[in-house]
Amino acid sequence: MQKWIGKRPTMGQKALISKYEKLLLNEHLTSTEKILKVIGAECDKQSGRELDGVLLLTTENILFISKREHMLYKYSQISDINIRNDGKDKSEWQLTLTIGRSKRTFDDIKKNDDSQEFIEILEHKIINQSQEILTTVTHDFDYFLHAERLEDLLADEIKITSFLMKRDDMGNTKNGERLLQEKHKDSKIIVEGFYQDTLKKGNFIVVDNSVLLYEYDNKERKAKLIKKWPFMFFSNAVIDHFAIKTVINNTEGKLVLNSSGKTFTEILAKDNISFKIKKRKLYQKILGFRSGKWWKKAIASLVYLLTFLMFIGMFFEEKPSETDTIKTSTEISDSEKTKETTRLAEEQRKQEEANRLAEEQRKQEEANRLAEEQRKQEEANRLAEEQRKQEEANRLAEEQRKQEEANRLAEEQRKQEEANRIAEERQQQTYVYYKNCDQARAAGAAPIHRGEPGYAKHLDRDGDGIGCDR
């Protein structure tokens, strides 16, 4: 049933699948469909009948599956969704889908992380049906969502649900191990520990073809390689095995492994690395006796003695005698009534406390929803403002381009007119003609040099380049 609830389901998801296992096994999806999330719900029919079943989200559709009826809707058919508190129980939600002109209502949806993720997926698929989304069902929890992977998913425009990010965080140890296991798939040991020379460094040790020391930051989801040693670095080291951790000392510092110390020594031995194992008596491996300091031994001895005495005391606790246990029927009756009254009062207090907590959780979820809506609205406004600014910039750029084009055309026209004027002047100058020198002198042009307007060979009889010079 892993395809329905994923590799790391909640207790609620396990109980849901156990309840509806036969019903889900009869459900056949298309080869391209992937299950995104499943939750329990009831469908309120107009006839007044309530159908108990499950709501199922896939990559293509939303389905309601029950013993009597089967409903399927494409995300494109849903125009709106409405989520509010169930009138019958404030710890539950009621979901209404608007499909065309009709509405379909589902209630008895438990308020928890699974249903919150279901609603997040549904809202996303209605808005953006083509974008891929990673959920607690589709994610492989063997692989950690570290910083580099999150960047890759963001670059590929793959959405990650909020509950998946929360569920994938398994704590510093497990997260670090998963990240380093991905970096070193053939590693022999991945264990918490550190190296100390003058300062304490690192928090994870990886034994692969060499020994590597990493500093893992769970907040940033990143691991940084600090040191790398060949196995020969630990030649002639002194290895000290305690009850749990192991300390490897050499001339430069000490390497501390929180576990897997014996495996580490086996690896060194297999690689023919010589080392010494520090001999300790059994009691010297016990917490409190390892350092050899008297005050630590004293405190540890006291703690172990008190623990032993408490155990002995519980084992040999005096049982009440038969005569002490005999009471009159009246006393027993009064005592039982008092106990019953106390029990009912306690149950009522617990119920009121549960209701108060549920109401606080509802208010918190409502506040989170409003904050998320406000964030989305602000994001939409920001995008709209950026789009407006971009359009304004495009408009100004277009106007500037048009102005530059107009200036260029005006400049070309001016140059053309100037060229036409010069050509016209040259043309006028080229066609000056004098029939004889008398006409040239009358025009005030004599003498006329070669190249000047009006010069001609019949005016320059001596061929010296000057016409009408005599």
Side-chain angles (χ1 to χ4, degrees):
M1 302 302 289
Q2 183 175 308
K3 75 171 185 176
W4 298 96
I5 55 178
K7 274 191 171 184
R8 195 166 182 258
T10 60
M11 294 299 294
Q13 290 276 282
K14 289 179 181 178
L16 180 70
I17 292 301
S18 177
K19 182 178 179 181
Y20 294 104
E21 183 174 2
K22 291 182 180 179
L23 193 65
L24 293 172
L25 286 174
N26 293 326
E27 183 65 26
H28 299 290
L29 305 175
T30 64
S31 58
T32 58
E33 273 187 295
K34 290 183 180 179
I35 297 163
L36 300 178
K37 196 69 180 178
V38 57
I39 59 172
E42 281 187 359
C43 178
D44 285 338
K45 299 286 288 182
Q46 293 180 352
S47 61
R49 286 190 301 121
E50 290 187 346
L51 301 175
D52 190 19
V54 294
L55 275 170
L56 174 65
L57 293 178
T58 73
T59 50
E60 299 176 10
N61 309 299
I62 176 172
L63 302 90
F64 177 75
I65 306 168
S66 67
K67 290 182 179 179
R68 296 183 180 179
E69 289 199 31
H70 184 287
M71 305 173 194
L72 184 148
Y73 304 105
K74 295 281 186 185
Y75 292 117
S76 57
Q77 295 178 263
I78 304 171
S79 57
D80 190 24
I81 63 172
N82 183 28
I83 303 151
R84 59 182 179 275
N85 287 326
D86 195 334
K88 297 181 290 184
D89 190 343
K90 290 184 179 180
S91 65
E92 296 178 346
W93 274 321
Q94 186 181 80
L95 171 65
T96 302
L97 305 179
T98 302
I99 304 162
R101 295 183 178 179
S102 63
K103 295 181 182 293
R104 180 69 71 190
T105 300
F106 304 92
D107 55 17
D108 287 0
I109 300 172
K110 301 293 182 184
K111 288 183 178 180
N112 52 39
D113 290 328
D114 289 306
S115 56
Q116 186 69 49
E117 183 182 35
F118 180 93
I119 292 166
E120 182 182 354
I121 298 167
L122 178 60
E123 289 176 340
H124 176 78
K125 294 302 288 183
I126 291 172
I127 296 170
N128 194 337
Q129 298 157 34
S130 60
Q131 185 179 6
E132 186 178 348
I133 183 168
L134 199 60
T135 73
T136 52
V137 177
T138 57
H139 176 55
D140 185 353
F141 284 93
D142 291 340
Y143 298 95
F144 179 44
L145 291 175
H146 52 78
E148 291 181 10
R149 174 159 292 162
L150 290 173
E151 289 175 2
D152 292 340
L153 292 172
L154 181 63
D156 293 337
E157 297 184 345
I158 298 175
K159 178 177 172 58
I160 306 169
T161 65
S162 303
F163 186 41
L164 172 56
M165 290 297 295
K166 177 181 176 181
R167 194 75 175 155
D168 187 62
D169 187 355
M170 301 181 190
N172 188 82
T173 302
K174 194 66 177 177
N175 292 347
E177 287 176 355
R178 287 190 293 163
L179 171 55
L180 295 173
Q181 185 64 55
E182 185 175 342
K183 285 181 175 289
H184 303 278
K185 295 182 180 179
D186 298 325
S187 61
K188 303 173 182 71
I189 298 175
I190 297 176
V191 65
E192 284 187 291
F194 62 90
Y195 178 73
Q196 186 167 1
D197 41 22
T198 55
L199 297 172
K200 185 177 177 180
K201 303 172 184 176
N203 55 9
F204 271 93
I205 296 161
V206 178
V207 180
D208 203 337
N209 296 324
S210 55
V211 181
L212 304 100
L213 178 68
Y214 278 93
E215 181 72 44
Y216 171 67
D217 186 339
N218 196 46
K219 185 177 179 181
E220 296 292 330
R221 295 179 176 240
K222 292 180 179 179
K224 179 182 178 182
L225 179 63
I226 298 176
K227 283 185 175 290
K228 182 178 180 181
W229 305 283
F231 290 139
M232 284 299 297
F233 177 78
F234 301 98
S235 180
N236 299 320
V238 177
I239 299 178
D240 195 358
H241 290 299
F242 294 95
I244 299 175
K245 73 175 184 179
T246 297
V247 179
I248 300 98
N249 291 282
N250 65 5
T251 55
E252 296 189 29
K254 66 177 181 179
L255 184 70
V256 179
L257 283 71
N258 289 359
S259 63
S260 304
K262 291 185 178 180
T263 306
F264 182 76
T265 56
E266 290 172 1
I267 294 170
L268 292 181
K270 189 176 181 181
D271 213 55
N272 297 321
I273 305 298
S274 60
F275 56 86
K276 296 178 182 179
I277 296 179
K278 187 173 182 178
K279 300 294 183 181
R280 281 182 178 270
K281 294 180 180 180
L282 181 61
Y283 76 90
Q284 291 177 324
K285 296 183 179 181
I286 300 173
L287 185 65
F289 292 83
R290 298 183 298 194
S291 63
K293 295 181 180 179
W294 67 267
W295 62 271
K296 286 189 176 181
K297 290 181 180 180
I299 294 172
S301 299
L302 185 60
V303 171
Y304 294 143
L305 179 60
L306 289 174
T307 304
F308 178 73
L309 291 176
M310 287 175 62
F311 175 77
I312 294 297
M314 288 187 295
F315 186 78
F316 292 102
E317 184 178 4
E318 184 180 356
K319 296 181 180 179
S321 64
E322 185 177 351
T323 56
D324 292 336
T325 60
I326 299 174
K327 294 183 179 180
T328 63
S329 60
T330 305
E331 290 175 337
I332 294 172
S333 177
D334 291 342
S335 176
E336 288 177 352
K337 286 181 181 179
T338 303
K339 288 180 180 178
E340 181 66 17
T341 303
T342 305
R343 187 184 65 79
L344 292 174
E346 182 65 18
E347 286 184 358
Q348 183 177 358
R349 187 190 65 77
K350 288 181 178 178
Q351 183 62 41
E352 291 173 353
E353 180 67 13
N355 293 340
R356 184 184 66 80
L357 292 174
E359 181 65 18
E360 287 182 0
Q361 183 180 359
R362 183 194 65 77
K363 288 180 180 178
Q364 183 62 39
E365 290 168 350
E366 181 68 15
N368 293 341
R369 186 185 64 80
L370 292 174
E372 180 65 16
E373 287 181 358
Q374 183 179 358
R375 186 191 65 76
K376 290 180 179 177
Q377 183 62 40
E378 290 173 353
E379 180 68 12
N381 293 341
R382 185 184 65 79
L383 293 174
E385 180 64 16
E386 287 183 358
Q387 184 177 0
R388 186 191 65 75
K389 289 180 179 178
Q390 184 62 41
E391 291 173 351
E392 179 67 14
N394 294 340
R395 185 185 65 78
L396 292 174
E398 181 64 19
E399 287 182 357
Q400 183 179 358
R401 188 191 62 78
K402 289 180 179 179
Q403 183 62 39
E404 291 173 352
E405 181 67 16
N407 294 341
R408 186 184 64 79
L409 293 174
E411 181 65 17
E412 288 182 357
Q413 184 177 0
R414 187 189 64 75
K415 289 180 179 179
Q416 184 64 40
E417 290 173 352
E418 180 68 15
N420 292 340
R421 185 184 63 76
I422 292 171
E424 185 177 351
E425 289 178 356
R426 287 178 178 174
Q427 186 176 13
Q428 289 175 357
Q429 293 172 357
T430 304
Y431 287 97
V432 174
Y433 177 76
Y434 300 110
K435 185 176 181 181
N436 49 47
C437 286
D438 292 336
Q439 191 176 2
R441 291 188 185 96
I448 306 171
H449 295 77
R450 184 182 289 114
E452 291 180 350
Y455 175 83
K457 288 183 178 181
H458 69 279
L459 302 177
D460 186 10
R461 296 292 185 183
D462 54 5
D464 63 352
I466 303 174
C468 302
D469 56 343
R470 294 180 184 178

